[in-house]
Amino acid sequence: MKKITDERLVLQNLKNIRIAFIIQTIGILGILAYDLVTSGLDEMRQNPLWTIFIITGVVLAYLSMSISADHEDHKINPRKSLIISLAILIFISTIVGFLVSVTEGFSIINGVIVGVILFICGIIPIIYIYFLRKNRQEEEAE
């Protein structure tokens, strides 16, 4: 196959891919909703489509972050943004961990585990966007 070089055709191809992705996502959500109604939440989460849906969502989020980092109008200091994001993440993780630990039926260990998991899940995108902004800033400096 020849590579498409006409910008109009490339844009139309991307629109077609987007439409196919939307239809596929609606189909997956429909199947998962059917499993949820007929079998319950646990059975739905055991369906392999659940894993595909979650992985697709994470990949789409990371791809969107790279586009949004390139699209930012004003120059953001990557280091300052990293420090602010880390402070907010630590605050939120601590509050959620504390609230879990004081909830009836949960121990302090459960609160710490939830807080650490929330922190790990939050630190990965924060570091990713930091490196995107840092690389963009270095490219603009050259």
Side-chain angles (χ1 to χ4, degrees):
M1 279 184 101
K2 274 179 59 176
K3 184 176 180 182
I4 301 173
T5 56
D6 187 2
E7 290 180 14
R8 293 173 295 143
L9 295 175
V10 169
L11 183 61
Q12 184 61 41
N13 191 29
L14 289 174
K15 287 180 182 178
N16 293 344
I17 292 170
R18 181 179 67 182
I19 291 169
F21 179 74
I22 290 170
I23 292 171
Q24 177 182 351
T25 303
I26 290 171
I28 290 173
L29 285 174
I31 292 169
L32 291 174
Y34 177 77
D35 274 354
L36 177 66
V37 171
T38 59
S39 305
L41 184 64
D42 290 333
E43 291 296 322
M44 179 195 74
R45 288 189 1 220
Q46 290 178 359
N47 189 336
L49 287 177
W50 175 256
T51 306
I52 291 172
F53 181 69
I54 296 299
I55 291 171
T56 304
V58 170
V59 168
L60 182 62
Y62 278 98
L63 293 174
S64 296
M65 279 194 295
S66 66
I67 291 172
S68 67
D70 289 337
H71 186 66
E72 291 172 344
D73 290 334
H74 51 62
K75 295 182 179 182
I76 296 176
N77 183 353
R79 186 167 219 190
K80 181 179 177 183
S81 175
L82 175 70
I83 292 171
I84 291 170
S85 298
L86 282 175
I88 292 171
L89 178 64
I90 290 170
F91 177 74
I92 291 172
S93 299
T94 304
I95 294 298
V96 170
F98 174 74
L99 291 175
V100 168
S101 66
V102 297
T103 302
E104 184 79 23
F106 292 100
S107 66
I108 293 176
I109 299 296
N110 293 5
V112 170
I113 290 173
V114 169
V116 168
I117 289 173
L118 187 63
F119 180 78
I120 290 171
C121 290
I123 193 80
I124 294 170
I126 288 172
I127 291 174
Y128 179 69
I129 198 80
Y130 167 74
F131 282 117
L132 288 174
R133 288 178 178 158
K134 184 179 169 190
N135 289 340
R136 189 191 69 197
Q137 188 179 40
E138 289 173 356
E139 288 174 1
E140 289 177 357
E142 292 176 356

